[in-house]
């Protein structure tokens, strides 16, 4: 078979796969590549017809989605897991986050690979899609999962693993298998939150046997998983995890506490649209916030804004902001 014919067949296969996976972005991208290939061959009329049809489909689906923003297709597995799965349609994107250079570059690489699925497929390569996120509470792990889903325009499913053990004693492995089956049926970001609840080497008393079985099942499922969904595991206790876990992931991304510069950017973002009194105190405020997480700093900013509103002030008090930052520090 000629190379051109082989490439055309591969694109048709990719088109059918994306349709079967309900992956609209990849479906449109592949369809546009087919149209572009026809245009290069001189089949201008056919290429224009294809592009017109694609745009018509996109417009129709976009109109339908407006009335179905919160309605997600739910398969049998998800019905059985309704007590374990939290379903979201995130609007946030990675550009909305304040991230370290290293984390930002890692996420950009993941998104670039995901958006070039077809190119990689043609070389028998696959995009990064199994991720381990490590960092202290409030550093942006859950928000990252939401942002990835937002960028890729796919749903986010949050799986509470602590509930998997406590609610389904004796059934945990079967429930876990349903989650992995769901990854094939619906492309989404699947966030396994509090991953140390199954991946840890710590003892959990009478539940330790169940946890070991669930961990072994997870290792087997992640090895066998060939779906087009993103699997994200998040933990703030990496030192307690079984070392065998790490090599199962395509990327291990570590989230540090925000630097002084990142704190300054975050505070300015949170106070956007408001005026801060005594702006000369801003360096002292950012210095005082060092050691806090992104989430804690965001809460302090919102508390200062709320105080301004209830006291009928025209500006956000820098003294109040410092007070709320100090309050967050004293909670730890």
């Amino acid at each position: 078979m000629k190379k051109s014919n082989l490439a055309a067949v591969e694109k048709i296969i990719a088109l059918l796969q994306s349709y079967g996976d309900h992956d609209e972005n990849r479906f449109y991208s592949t369809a546009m590549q087919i149209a572009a290939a026809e245009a290069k061959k001189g089949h201008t009329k056919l290429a224009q017809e294809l592009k017109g049809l694609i745009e018509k489909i996109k417009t129709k689906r976009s109109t339908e989605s407006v009335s179905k923003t919160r309605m997600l297709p739910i398969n049998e597995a998800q019905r059985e897991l309704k007590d374990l799965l939290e379903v979201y349609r995130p609007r946030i994107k990675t550009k909305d986050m304040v991230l370290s250079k290293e984390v930002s570059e890692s996420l950009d690489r993941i998104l670039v690979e995901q958006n070039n699925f077809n190119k990689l497929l043609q070389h028998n390569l696959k995009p990064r899609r199994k991720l381990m996120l490590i960092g202290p509470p409030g550093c942006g792990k859950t928000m990252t999962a939401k942002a990835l889903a937002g960028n890729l325009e796919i749903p986010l499913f949050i799986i509470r693993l602590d509930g998997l053990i406590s609610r389904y004693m004796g059934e945990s492995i079967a429930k876990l298998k349903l989650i992995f089956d769901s990854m094939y049926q619906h492309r989404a970001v699947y966030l396994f939150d509090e991953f140390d609840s199954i991946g840890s080497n710590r003892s959990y008393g009478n539940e330790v046997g169940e946890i070991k079985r669930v961990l072994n099942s997870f290792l087997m499922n992640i090895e066998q998983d060939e779906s087009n969904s993103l699997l994200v595991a998040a933990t703030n206790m990496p030192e307690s995890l079984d070392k065998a876990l790490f090599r199962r992931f395509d990327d291990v991304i570590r989230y540090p506490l925000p630097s002084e510069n990142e704190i300054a950017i975050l505070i300015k973002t949170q106070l956007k649209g408001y005026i801060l009194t005594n702006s000369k105190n801003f360096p002292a405020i950012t210095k005082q916030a060092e050691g806090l997480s992104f989430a804690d700093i965001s809460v302090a900013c919102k508390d200062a804004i709320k105080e301004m509103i209830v006291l009928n002030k025209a500006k956000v008090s820098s003294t109040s902001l410092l007070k709320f930052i100090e309050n967050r520090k004293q909670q730890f």
Side-chain angles (χ1 to χ4, degrees), residues 277-320:
T277 63
N278 301 322
S279 57
K280 290 181 180 179
N281 290 345
F282 193 73
I285 293 171
T286 58
K287 191 72 177 175
Q288 185 65 19
E290 285 186 335
L292 289 177
S293 68
F294 287 104
D296 287 324
I297 296 167
S298 295
V299 168
C301 289
K302 289 172 183 174
D303 285 343
I305 292 170
K306 286 189 287 185
E307 184 169 272
M308 177 203 74
I309 293 169
V310 298
L311 295 179
N312 296 315
K313 302 291 185 180
K315 299 178 180 180
V316 175
S317 168
S318 59
T319 302
S320 290

Side-chain angles (χ1 to χ4, degrees), residues 30-47:
T30 306
M32 288 299 289
Q33 287 178 33
I34 293 172
E38 292 303 317
K40 284 183 180 179
K41 293 176 185 177
H43 304 157
T44 309
K45 186 177 180 181
L46 174 59

Side-chain angles (χ1 to χ4, degrees), residues 106-107 109-111 113-114 117 120 125-133 218 222-223 225-233 244-254:
S106 294
L107 299 183
R109 184 168 57 243
I110 291 162
L111 290 169
E113 291 188 8
Q114 284 289 322
F117 180 92
L120 295 174
L125 295 170
K126 298 176 182 177
R128 286 172 167 82
R129 46 169 296 271
K130 300 175 184 179
L131 316 173
M132 169 75 80
L133 310 184
F218 183 91
I222 195 174
E223 285 277 8
D225 176 35
E226 296 291 338
S227 72
N228 197 30
S229 292
L230 275 76
L231 186 157
V232 181
L245 282 167
F246 291 95
R247 63 183 177 84
R248 263 73 175 195
F249 292 90
D250 301 323
D251 260 349
V252 177
I253 304 175
R254 297 181 182 273

Side-chain angles (χ1 to χ4, degrees), residues 130-277:
K130 300 175 184 179
L131 316 173
M132 169 75 80
L133 310 184
I134 295 172
C139 66
K141 300 187 296 297
T142 301
M143 189 175 289
T144 292
K146 291 180 179 179
L148 288 173
N151 275 80
L152 296 171
E153 297 181 349
I154 56 178
L156 168 68
F157 295 99
I158 299 181
I159 300 100
R160 302 295 182 188
L161 286 169
D162 54 345
L164 184 70
I165 302 297
S166 59
R167 294 186 193 179
Y168 297 101
M169 181 66 72
E171 301 179 62
S172 303
I173 294 174
K175 297 296 183 184
L176 188 64
K177 181 65 167 62
L178 288 176
I179 294 171
F180 276 90
D181 288 344
S182 178
M183 290 183 191
Y184 286 89
Q185 296 172 21
H186 290 292
R187 183 174 188 245
V189 174
Y190 288 78
L191 172 61
F192 290 81
D193 203 12
E194 299 178 3
F195 191 72
D196 41 278
S197 61
I198 68 162
S200 174
N201 286 312
R202 295 171 299 164
S203 172
Y204 282 81
N206 294 332
E207 296 179 352
V208 68
E210 180 80 356
I211 289 170
K212 285 182 177 179
R213 286 190 290 273
V214 172
L215 175 58
N216 289 335
S217 177
F218 183 91
L219 293 174
M220 181 184 70
N221 279 297
I222 195 174
E223 285 277 8
Q224 295 175 352
D225 176 35
E226 296 291 338
S227 72
N228 197 30
S229 292
L230 275 76
L231 186 157
V232 181
T235 181
N236 54 16
M237 302 179 66
E239 68 284 347
S240 70
L241 295 180
D242 190 311
K243 301 305 178 187
L245 282 167
F246 291 95
R247 63 183 177 84
R248 263 73 175 195
F249 292 90
D250 301 323
D251 260 349
V252 177
I253 304 175
R254 297 181 182 273
Y255 288 70
L257 289 171
S259 66
E260 192 171 345
N261 182 56
E262 290 162 359
I263 291 169
I265 294 171
L266 177 62
I267 292 175
K268 287 176 182 177
T269 301
Q270 291 293 319
L271 298 183
K272 189 175 181 180
Y274 300 96
I275 300 173
L276 183 67
T277 63

